[in-house]
Amino acid sequence: MEINSFNKLEKPFFHLSYNSYIFKKLYESTCENFENNSKKFVAMIDGQKCRNKKSFFKEFAKKLKFPDYFGDNWDAFDECLNDLEWLDAEQYVLFIENFNLIFENDEKNLEIFLNILVDTVGEWKMGREYGALQPPPIPFHIVMYSDKDIINDLQIKTHNEQINLF
């Protein structure tokens, strides 16, 4: 994969990497390309800070600037991740480093998180529905770094054809 950020990508994807160098270069390039464009948002989530639900919600709320009313529960997380209205962006790229450490010993919460991610990518791709109001699709990318074993496992768990390895 050429390291030139997500500037020209229109379709949302999960991008999974087991190459730390490429992951970091892609993040740096994306930040650089988004730096002067207030309508593009990029964030880095550190899986080391997401080992349990409390720290997980804290890390995501901080990095995605969730509103104060965020309720630290899965329903509120799902709602906020599929809204992001307060960021007012036309494109989102979420980098997740050390993905293998997220809920490292908690399969149930990891599965809930993965289901929300898959649904979120689909919702942003199709355009979200708010009754009579239907905003257009917005590019929403998730880039994860982890070891190869967890990546293969993730592909099996999500059954998502939009997962790309690099």
Side-chain angles (χ1 to χ4, degrees):
M1 173 179 235
E2 184 179 330
I3 301 173
N4 63 1
S5 89
F6 292 92
N7 240 5
K8 295 181 173 114
L9 292 176
E10 295 180 13
K11 294 180 179 179
F13 288 102
F14 283 109
H15 301 277
L16 302 160
S17 177
Y18 53 89
N19 186 316
S20 177
Y21 175 79
I22 292 175
F23 178 82
K24 292 200 185 289
K25 284 296 185 186
L26 185 58
Y27 175 70
E28 290 168 7
S29 176
T30 302
C31 288
E32 191 175 288
N33 286 327
F34 282 22
E35 188 173 41
N36 295 320
N37 189 330
S38 64
K39 291 292 186 178
K40 295 184 178 186
F41 180 83
V42 63
M44 173 72 82
I45 301 294
D46 185 354
Q48 289 184 321
K49 297 179 180 178
C50 300
R51 293 177 186 240
N52 60 54
K53 272 176 54 171
K54 183 178 180 181
S55 61
F56 172 90
F57 290 137
K58 183 178 179 180
E59 174 74 355
F60 271 84
K62 177 182 173 185
K63 299 291 177 72
L64 295 176
K65 304 174 185 177
F66 285 177
D68 291 338
Y69 59 80
F70 171 61
D72 290 336
N73 61 65
W74 286 119
D75 288 337
F77 177 77
D78 186 24
E79 186 176 313
C80 284
L81 196 58
N82 285 290
D83 184 350
L84 301 177
E85 179 181 281
W86 52 90
L87 297 176
D88 192 32
E90 295 172 352
Q91 182 175 3
Y92 302 93
V93 182
L94 178 60
F95 285 83
I96 305 175
E97 187 173 29
N98 301 311
F99 186 84
N100 55 304
L101 300 177
I102 296 176
F103 299 118
E104 188 174 26
N105 297 312
D106 186 346
E107 189 70 27
K108 180 182 175 190
N109 279 308
L110 178 61
E111 188 173 328
I112 292 169
F113 173 52
L114 290 175
N115 287 334
I116 290 172
L117 283 185
V118 170
D119 291 346
T120 296
V121 168
E123 189 168 327
W124 284 100
K125 178 184 178 183
M126 301 305 292
R128 294 151 320 165
E129 193 173 321
Y130 299 112
L133 179 64
Q134 242 183 328
I138 295 176
F140 187 92
H141 306 276
I142 300 172
V143 183
M144 299 176 205
Y145 169 73
S146 188
D147 62 55
K148 196 171 186 175
D149 292 337
I150 193 92
I151 289 172
N152 291 333
D153 190 38
L154 181 62
Q155 286 183 302
I156 292 166
K157 284 181 182 178
T158 62
H159 307 289
N160 193 315
E161 69 271 359
Q162 293 187 34
I163 294 177
N164 300 300
L165 288 172
F166 63 88

